[in-house]
Amino acid sequence: MAFACAPKAPPLRGITARPALPELSILPGHSRLVFDWRYEDPDIRTRGDGAARTAAPDSARVDLFLEGGLGTAVAVLIGDTLRAPGPNAVKRLIPPAPLLWAALGKLAVPPAADTSARLDGDTLRVDIGRGDTWRVTIAAGKLVSLERIDGGRIVQSVHRADDQHVRYYDATARRTLELTVTRVDRNADLDASIWSL
């Protein structure tokens, strides 16, 4: 992996805290989030609209529709299993499972024994793991960011500026996916067939 372009991870700030993370999950019941999206990497720039359908506690389907109706990308995430059929160009649009969950507001990283936490005002920052580390930032009880740190560098991240603006970045591939949520439908009717690809 090329880590040279990945930013260095700063040390955790704040006072030492007990490493107890709050429950961060998707909206209860069935929901549909409608969004506009924009993707960019060194070879491609594209945009469109899309939808994420979620069924608490552990199921999500994301559909990305290319602007002009020129194609689609789809991913189904159940627990920590991500399925995204299609060519590699389509799969590049979809973040890995823990980061896709983070984009939807859920914390779902692999468990690790080494965890340290710092509290800075109302912001809790937690490092989970050693070597390949997940850094979680939570403010006001909501997931603000999830970063994957390898070799002391932030190689992938999801930042949630608020409930409407989400940015995924892969520093090693210089890939960015930005979502702007335009509508949230709670208690949405979801057909069971959406979970099959």
Side-chain angles (χ1 to χ4, degrees):
M1 287 188 138
F3 295 119
C5 57
K8 283 193 172 191
L12 288 178
R13 295 187 323 252
I15 60 172
T16 302
R18 249 189 35 190
L21 290 166
E23 178 75 24
L24 299 169
S25 57
I26 55 178
L27 295 170
H30 295 172
S31 299
R32 179 177 27 254
L33 290 79
V34 179
F35 53 83
D36 296 323
W37 61 272
R38 189 175 61 129
Y39 174 84
E40 185 176 324
D41 70 26
D43 302 317
I44 300 170
R45 284 185 185 192
T46 190
R47 63 179 56 234
D49 56 16
R53 290 171 280 182
T54 63
D58 66 351
S59 302
R61 177 183 169 126
V62 176
D63 292 276
L64 303 176
F65 306 102
L66 291 171
E67 187 174 56
L70 299 174
T72 63
V74 63
V76 169
L77 180 55
I78 299 176
D80 60 358
T81 302
L82 177 64
R83 290 177 291 150
N88 286 337
V90 170
K91 291 178 184 178
R92 285 195 308 201
L93 297 172
I94 309 296
L99 293 158
L100 184 53
W101 275 129
L104 297 171
K106 177 182 171 85
L107 180 61
V109 297
D114 293 331
T115 302
S116 59
R118 300 281 187 277
L119 188 60
D120 186 10
D122 74 342
T123 301
L124 176 65
R125 291 181 184 86
V126 180
D127 279 356
I128 302 169
R130 184 187 325 183
D132 193 5
T133 304
W134 294 98
R135 178 165 292 170
V136 182
T137 302
I138 300 163
K142 290 188 175 186
L143 182 65
V144 174
S145 68
L146 177 64
E147 299 168 324
R148 190 172 71 80
I149 300 170
D150 192 357
R153 295 191 177 271
I154 302 168
V155 293
Q156 291 180 314
S157 62
V158 163
H159 291 274
R160 298 169 49 86
D162 51 40
D163 289 335
Q164 280 76 42
H165 300 94
V166 178
R167 181 178 188 263
Y168 163 69
Y169 182 63
D170 181 334
T172 57
R174 295 180 300 161
R175 240 176 11 208
T176 303
L177 176 64
E178 295 180 357
L179 308 177
T180 302
V181 176
T182 57
R183 190 175 85 234
V184 177
D185 301 325
R186 294 183 181 230
N187 302 315
D189 284 333
L190 301 182
D191 188 293
S193 66
I194 69 168
W195 311 115
S196 300
L197 295 178

